Amino acid sequence: GVRAARIGNPKTAEFEECRVGLLAGVLKTLRENRALGVPIRLFEVGDVVRHSESNDVGAVNRRMCAAVFCGMTAGFEVIKGLLDHVMRVMGVADGEWRIDPETCEDGAFFPGRRAAVWKGETRIGSMGWVHPEVLKNFGLTYPCSALELDVEPFL
């Protein structure tokens, strides 16, 4: 996985590491709202911190987008439809991006039901069925599909 950037002098122990992705936060929100019943659709757009040798602080902010669909079925087609729409809205033509199940090793997603999202030769995200162990760790009982996408290249 991606190694978290540590804050040198945090105000509290809870904030000694910067978040490296949005998916965990979206799944926590889903857990807190599961009483609403299914289907539930959530998304978040926000900044994460990634290690980088390109500047003197050793880290950079990246704008990300995460979305989750939770229902009686995993709803992969809902998340794939959302990805299609997001790419269209950001002006990315159909041939300029692709999903590739062979290159995705993201452990948050179920093997065989996950894919990396690519724009040209740059990997910009992952999507798929959320792994049952991940769902269990968040106290979720319904199947979910999710997407996490780096939108920084489009800004």
Side-chain angles (χ1 to χ4, degrees):
V2 178
R3 191 171 48 103
R6 297 182 72 74
I7 297 174
N9 189 17
K11 288 191 176 214
T12 68
E14 180 183 3
F15 297 109
E16 67 185 357
E17 290 184 344
C18 298
R19 65 184 183 170
V20 296
L22 301 179
L23 186 58
V26 173
L27 292 173
K28 285 179 189 176
T29 302
L30 179 61
R31 177 186 63 213
E32 299 307 315
N33 290 282
R34 65 182 175 242
L36 296 175
V38 293
I40 299 176
R41 297 170 182 90
L42 296 171
F43 77 94
E44 179 183 359
V45 176
D47 289 344
V48 301
V49 177
R50 298 287 170 92
H51 286 278
S52 173
E53 302 301 322
S54 67
N55 61 33
D56 57 345
V57 297
V60 294
N61 285 3
R62 301 290 297 183
R63 183 66 45 94
M64 302 283 289
C65 172
V68 65
F69 173 84
C70 181
M72 298 302 286
T73 63
F76 180 83
E77 69 282 356
V78 175
I79 290 297
K80 173 62 169 66
L82 174 65
L83 175 62
D84 290 341
H85 182 73
V86 167
M87 296 305 247
R88 200 169 31 257
V89 167
M90 290 192 298
V92 183
D94 286 341
E96 295 177 16
W97 70 278
R98 70 186 192 286
I99 61 171
D100 183 1
E102 301 300 319
T103 58
C104 187
E105 297 178 358
D106 191 328
F109 300 107
F110 195 77
R113 298 288 187 253
R114 63 186 179 191
V117 182
W118 294 83
K119 182 179 184 290
E121 296 304 311
T122 304
R123 183 173 179 206
I124 59 170
S126 300
M127 64 181 299
W129 289 3
V130 179
H131 196 285
E133 283 296 316
V134 174
L135 294 175
K136 180 180 169 187
N137 290 341
F138 281 94
L140 299 169
T141 56
Y142 288 104
C144 301
S145 285
L147 163 70
E148 191 163 35
L149 191 65
D150 183 350
V151 297
E152 194 77 22
F154 308 104
L155 302 179

